């Protein structure tokens, strides 16, 4: 009973997201518009997290399973990778390293300068 | 064989079986580096290729599973909402760090793809490699890119990010737990978060927060790029 009520809420938000994305020709897929909608509903208190928790957690905890068909799709799109497989892997690996370095350095720098400023005002 | 697999059951059964197999293997070998998703994808691709079962037959059931990506993406709002207190406490440092990360993610893919002479379609497919899978698929679809390549690039990103993080953090003297977590979550989503959880509680919470914030930031960045007429 509870699971169906929660699923009904989640699917309705998903559907509303699709409608908004299509209706306003947003540059976002309906599912992402739906996620933003749910975020707004949670922050404004229109929805309480208990109203979706069990079903949402089930989906979140088993998320990886739902990506299998999308991943298998690579077998019909392999021709796009022909001749540039290693280059593509190099882009992914290098980009991942750069993102991690930039993000953590920037965050650490901002935290330290924030702590410094706070220290001064306290003194 | 073609007739036997020409139904919805085949794709669903195969997906469940190989995914269960991957999970079982990971538990049995006590090895976190075994990725059941990557293993499942590889097994199904190999199986279909060698048995001659058409991809379309697999996708009859596969599309049923694929349809759940909608609700899976929607509920990603929940973990982000649950981390709201941490976000508010360190809002400027976190947002600043993640924006730096998202800009470097998009910038590095564009620059590297052009340097290495990869085509536009690949560039679009790799653009969302650092975000969580459902958002990456969403971005890939909006840009008219190749979903399968995006998914595999996201998994590779997760495995690479989680394995190099300790080394990178030592090399660049990243010591603050918040910075460590934000770096892992922004660069390598949920797979990076498993590594962050091993590092500590703050690292883990920050990493899972970063998944959501980085996803929303990337979506906005891509929308801006589209609006500017880049894609």
């Amino acid at each position: 009973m509870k699971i169906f009520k929660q699923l009904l809420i989640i699917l309705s938000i998903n559907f509303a997201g699709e409608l908004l994305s299509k209706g306003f020709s947003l540059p976002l897929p309906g599912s992402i518009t739906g996620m933003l909608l749910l975020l707004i509903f949670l922050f404004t208190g229109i929805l309480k997290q208990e109203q979706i928790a069990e079903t949402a957690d089930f989906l979140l905890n088993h998320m990886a399973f739902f990506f299998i068909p999308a991943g298998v799709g690579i077998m019909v799109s392999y021709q796009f990778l022909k001749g540039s497989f290693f280059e593509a892997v190099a882009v992914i690996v290098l980009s991942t390293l750069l993102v991690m370095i930039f993000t953590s350095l920037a965050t650490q720098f901002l935290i330290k300068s924030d702590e410094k400023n706070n220290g001064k005002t306290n003194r | 064989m073609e007739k036997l697999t020409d139904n919805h059951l085949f794709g669903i059964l195969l997906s469940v079986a190989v995914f269960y197999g991957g999970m079982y293997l990971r538990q049995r070998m006590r090895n976190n580096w075994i990725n059941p998703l990557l293993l499942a994808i590889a097994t199904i691709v190999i199986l279909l290729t060698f048995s001659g079962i058409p991809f379309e037959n697999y996708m009859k059931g596969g599309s049923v599973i694929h349809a759940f990506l909608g609700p899976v993406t929607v509920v990603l709002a929940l973990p982000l909402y649950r981390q709201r207190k941490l976000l508010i406490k360190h809002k400027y440092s976190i947002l600043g760090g993640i924006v730096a990360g998202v800009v470097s993610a998009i910038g590095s893919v564009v620059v590297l793809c052009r340097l290495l002479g990869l085509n536009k379609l690949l560039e679009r497919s790799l653009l969302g490699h650092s975000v969580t899978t459902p958002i990456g698929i969403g971005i890939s679809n909006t840009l008219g890119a190749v979903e399968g390549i995006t998914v595999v690039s996201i998994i590779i990103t997760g495995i690479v990010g989680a394995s190099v993080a300790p080394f990178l953090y030592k090399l660049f003297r990243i010591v603050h737990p918040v910075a460590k977590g934000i770096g892992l979550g922004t660069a390598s989503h949920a797979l990076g978060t498993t590594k962050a959880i091993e590092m500590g509680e703050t690292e883990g919470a920050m990493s899972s927060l970063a998944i959501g914030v980085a996803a929303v930031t990337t979506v906005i960045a891509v929308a801006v790029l589209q609006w500017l007429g880049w894609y």
Side-chain angles (χ1 to χ4, degrees):
Chain A
M1 200 32 200
K2 197 182 194 178
I3 297 295
F4 285 104
K5 194 176 167 192
Q6 297 188 346
L7 194 59
L8 177 68
I9 294 173
I10 294 167
L11 291 176
S12 305
I13 294 173
N14 193 178
F15 190 68
E18 296 286 347
L19 283 181
L20 283 173
S21 278
K22 292 245 162 65
F24 295 96
S25 344
L26 299 176
L28 302 174
S31 54
I32 297 180
T33 310
M35 180 193 74
L36 297 174
L37 269 182
L38 177 57
L39 203 59
I40 293 169
F41 289 162
L42 287 169
F43 270 106
T44 53
I46 294 174
L47 271 177
K48 301 258 171 301
Q49 59 164 315
E50 295 76 34
Q51 287 173 284
I52 53 162
E54 281 84 2
T55 308
D57 283 331
F58 174 82
L59 289 172
L60 288 166
N61 293 336
H62 304 91
M63 194 159 81
F65 173 75
F66 301 104
F67 307 139
I68 297 175
V72 175
I74 200 168
M75 72 181 280
V76 286
S77 35
Y78 190 73
Q79 73 266 23
F80 301 114
L81 273 173
K82 235 175 215 164
S84 39
F85 177 78
F86 291 104
E87 286 87 342
V89 173
V91 171
I92 299 166
V93 173
L94 284 174
S95 172
T96 306
L97 300 184
L98 289 172
V99 177
M100 195 174 285
I101 295 166
F102 278 124
T103 314
S104 50
L105 277 178
T107 312
Q108 184 162 276
F109 173 77
L110 290 168
I111 291 174
K112 285 199 171 153
S113 58
D114 196 31
E115 281 170 355
K116 234 183 233 167
N117 287 339
N118 285 339
K120 269 177 197 156
T121 46
N122 287 343
R123 246 169 255 159
Chain B
M1 204 56 181
E2 248 200 85
K3 266 207 170 136
L4 208 63
T5 57
D6 191 18
N7 52 51
H8 288 88
L9 179 63
F10 170 67
I12 300 174
L13 178 64
L14 183 61
S15 303
V16 172
V18 293
F19 193 70
Y20 172 69
M23 301 272 276
Y24 181 78
L25 212 65
R26 181 164 72 175
Q27 204 180 35
R28 243 353 249 282
M29 318 243 297
R30 296 209 182 98
N31 187 342
N32 271 324
W33 298 123
I34 295 176
N35 183 306
L37 174 59
L38 196 60
L39 213 61
I41 294 169
T43 312
I44 295 173
V45 169
I46 293 169
L47 202 100
L48 294 182
T49 311
F50 285 98
S51 64
I53 297 170
F55 172 74
E56 289 70 29
N57 283 14
Y58 167 72
M59 276 316 275
K60 276 200 166 167
S63 59
V64 176
I65 300 171
H66 195 71
F68 280 89
L69 284 183
V72 167
T73 309
V74 170
V75 297
L76 281 176
L78 190 59
L80 184 53
Y81 175 73
R82 283 175 177 156
Q83 301 293 341
R84 65 193 177 283
K85 281 187 186 125
L86 272 176
L87 175 61
I88 292 163
K89 193 175 164 204
H90 298 281
K91 51 185 176 293
Y92 297 118
S93 328
I94 291 175
L95 287 179
I98 292 176
V99 168
V102 169
V103 170
S104 59
I106 295 175
S108 64
V109 168
V110 172
V111 170
L112 287 168
C113 278
R114 293 187 184 178
L115 276 178
L116 294 171
L118 294 181
N119 60 47
K120 280 273 146 63
L121 196 69
L122 276 176
E123 183 182 312
R124 286 162 187 241
S125 308
L126 299 181
L127 211 57
H129 76 92
S130 269
V131 297
T132 183
T133 316
I135 304 289
I137 293 173
I139 290 172
S140 189
N141 289 335
T142 330
L143 295 176
V146 187
E147 213 177 66
I149 295 176
T150 305
V151 173
V152 173
S153 79
I154 292 172
I155 303 170
I156 296 175
T157 299
I159 294 171
V160 170
S163 30
V164 299
F167 172 72
L168 277 188
Y169 287 166
K170 209 170 259 172
L171 192 66
F172 288 90
R173 301 210 173 91
I174 309 293
V175 287
H176 203 291
V178 174
K180 284 181 171 177
I182 297 293
L184 267 165
T186 307
S188 49
H189 52 89
L191 279 168
T193 302
T194 56
K195 191 78 205 172
I197 292 168
E198 278 174 34
M199 291 180 173
E201 200 185 324
T202 315
E203 287 91 334
M206 282 295 165
S207 186
S208 57
L209 167 69
I211 298 174
V213 179
V216 175
T217 314
T218 309
V219 165
I220 295 171
V222 170
V224 169
L225 286 181
Q226 278 195 304
W227 182 69
L228 290 172
W230 264 47
Y231 287 105

